[in-house]
Amino acid sequence: MDTAMAATLIAGLATGTGRLLIVWLRERAAVQRMRVSEQGLCNRVLGLPAGSRFRERRADRREIVIEVGPRPEGGGTHE
């Protein structure tokens, strides 16, 4: 194997590895953004009283509607 062919092979492998790394990093960042977004949604919903309805429109134009448990009957605690 001559030097030019070895250099071409090494350059090709380095380029392929670099592209794969870039794709992996982009996908990992997308997963992290989704995780942070979902955690924020959970934190907002946890602070709502029973019987509440929460609507949120996402950047991709999806709408999320969450209904938080039924309202307690009689407004007091049940024994």
Side-chain angles (χ1 to χ4, degrees), residues 34 37-38 41 56-64:
M34 180 64 76
S37 173
E38 294 300 319
L41 178 64
E56 180 177 276
R57 186 167 300 276
R58 295 293 174 103
D60 60 356
R61 298 183 185 264
R62 290 183 304 151
E63 184 177 33
I64 296 173

Side-chain angles (χ1 to χ4, degrees), residues 2-69:
D2 64 332
T3 307
M5 189 164 189
T8 303
L9 180 63
I10 290 171
L13 286 173
T15 301
T17 303
R19 287 182 178 177
L20 184 61
L21 180 63
I22 289 170
V23 169
W24 180 75
L25 288 172
R26 283 182 182 160
E27 293 300 317
R28 184 170 181 247
V31 168
Q32 291 295 330
R33 282 191 302 272
M34 180 64 76
R35 188 175 290 152
V36 167
S37 173
E38 294 300 319
Q39 185 62 42
L41 178 64
C42 288
N43 289 340
R44 289 189 297 276
V45 170
L46 285 174
L48 296 174
S52 297
R53 179 177 280 176
F54 180 80
R55 291 179 187 256
E56 180 177 276
R57 186 167 300 276
R58 295 293 174 103
D60 60 356
R61 298 183 185 264
R62 290 183 304 151
E63 184 177 33
I64 296 173
V65 178
I66 299 173
E67 293 182 17
V68 180

